[in-house]
Amino acid sequence: MASDGDTVFGKILRGEIPCDQVYGDDLCIAFRDGQPQAPVHLLVIPREPIPQLADATDAHQQLLGHLLLVAARVAKLEGLQSWRTVINSGAEAGQTVFHLHVHVIGGRPLAWPPG
Ligand code: AMP
């Protein structure tokens, strides 16, 4: 599924609304979630507006790997030794913003399974 990038994360990428950015490079940015679910809650988003993981293709293999490496990098920059990475794909999985993003959540004990 193509996307015109007209989501709240597209607006953040275009500088139309602010975010608390902690990392950025040519492929992605990372910023603090506006409604943190833990002491550390970051979002890593690609600059390319892929709506959800289900829309990723083989052409995105390198990008997807990069997002996970950046997730680990920013988690460690935040001082975390343990954390959870989450990618919700689809509304029933809890996705609310249809611009692919990796949650990085940590700083407290995390239960499993998730709700
Ligand atoms: P998901 O439910 O997986 O789609 O996650 C979307 C996340 O984006 C939620 O955790 C929201 O709190 C977060 N979010 C939505 N709008 C903003 C915003 N303007 N700045 C920071 N985080 C946001």
Side-chain angles (χ1 to χ4, degrees), residues 8-9 31-35 43 88 94-97 101 103:
V8 65
F9 293 170
F31 55 93
R32 296 188 194 285
D33 196 291
Q35 292 186 283
L43 300 170
N88 295 321
Q95 186 175 5
T96 59
V97 179
H101 49 282
H103 294 260

Side-chain angles (χ1 to χ4, degrees), residues 7-31:
T7 66
V8 65
F9 293 170
K11 289 179 171 61
I12 284 174
L13 283 164
R14 293 192 296 272
E16 294 167 9
I17 61 173
C19 74
D20 188 355
Q21 186 172 330
V22 297
Y23 177 86
D25 62 27
D26 288 349
L27 295 176
C28 70
I29 65 170
F31 55 93

Side-chain angles (χ1 to χ4, degrees), residues 1-2 46 48-60 64 67 87-93 95 97-101:
M1 177 171 43
E48 180 180 344
I50 305 163
Q52 55 187 329
L53 187 57
D55 298 312
T57 70
D58 289 350
H60 297 114
L64 293 174
L67 296 177
I87 301 174
N88 295 321
S89 187
E92 285 191 23
Q95 186 175 5
V97 179
F98 283 80
H99 181 126
L100 176 66
H101 49 282

